[in-house]
Amino acid sequence: QVQLQESGPGLVRPSQTLSLTCSVSGGSITTDYYFWSWIRQPPGKGLEWMGAIDSSGSIWYNPSLKSRTSISRDTSKDQFILQLTSVTPEDTAVYYCGADRQLETTHPEYRGQGTQVTVSS
């Protein structure tokens, strides 16, 4: 069974870059055919799909976040990484990584427990 675990700083200063890593176990980001995705949920709001990378390395982004978002991977560690630049307090959210055979889903088949990121000075 695929397991995912998010890691990264819980506090980011405004205008800086948020960087999170998702570590995958029980599966492979290069051989298992999933869309490996990032999803977030700001306080009091719904889930927002941010983007995904597939087993071939192809990447998709939410158009509303595309200018600030970068997704990459470290295949040697079965990890994929989210970077969000120029953050503001509106980027405060619980960030999740997930895996699903469907693109752009906010309810992936497998999901990490989530990590709280607060943007504040």
Side-chain angles (χ1 to χ4, degrees):
Q1 177 159 333
V2 176
Q3 295 182 312
L4 304 103
Q5 178 66 57
E6 306 89 351
S7 60
L11 178 65
V12 182
R13 305 299 183 191
S15 81
Q16 293 188 339
T17 296
L18 179 163
S19 184
L20 296 174
T21 297
C22 183
S23 299
V24 177
S25 59
S28 168
I29 63 171
T30 56
T31 61
D32 289 345
Y33 186 68
Y34 289 108
F35 294 101
W36 305 93
S37 61
W38 287 98
I39 299 155
R40 68 179 182 178
Q41 186 167 29
K45 297 184 179 180
L47 293 162
E48 179 179 36
W49 179 83
M50 301 182 70
I53 186 168
D54 73 5
S55 57
S56 72
S58 296
I59 303 169
W60 292 263
Y61 295 110
N62 184 326
S64 68
L65 296 169
K66 184 176 182 179
S67 64
R68 299 195 293 129
T69 308
S70 176
I71 295 174
S72 60
R73 63 181 184 173
D74 185 337
T75 58
S76 67
K77 298 180 180 178
D78 267 322
Q79 294 176 334
F80 58 106
I81 299 106
L82 170 73
Q83 291 189 309
L84 184 66
T85 62
S86 304
V87 297
T88 72
E90 285 68 42
D91 293 310
T92 295
V94 178
Y95 285 77
Y96 301 94
C97 58
D100 199 276
R101 302 191 191 279
Q102 183 177 352
L103 186 63
E104 296 190 42
T105 178
T106 55
H107 295 83
E109 180 178 359
Y110 302 103
R111 196 186 76 174
Q113 64 182 16
T115 186
Q116 173 70 47
V117 177
T118 299
V119 179
S120 175
S121 55

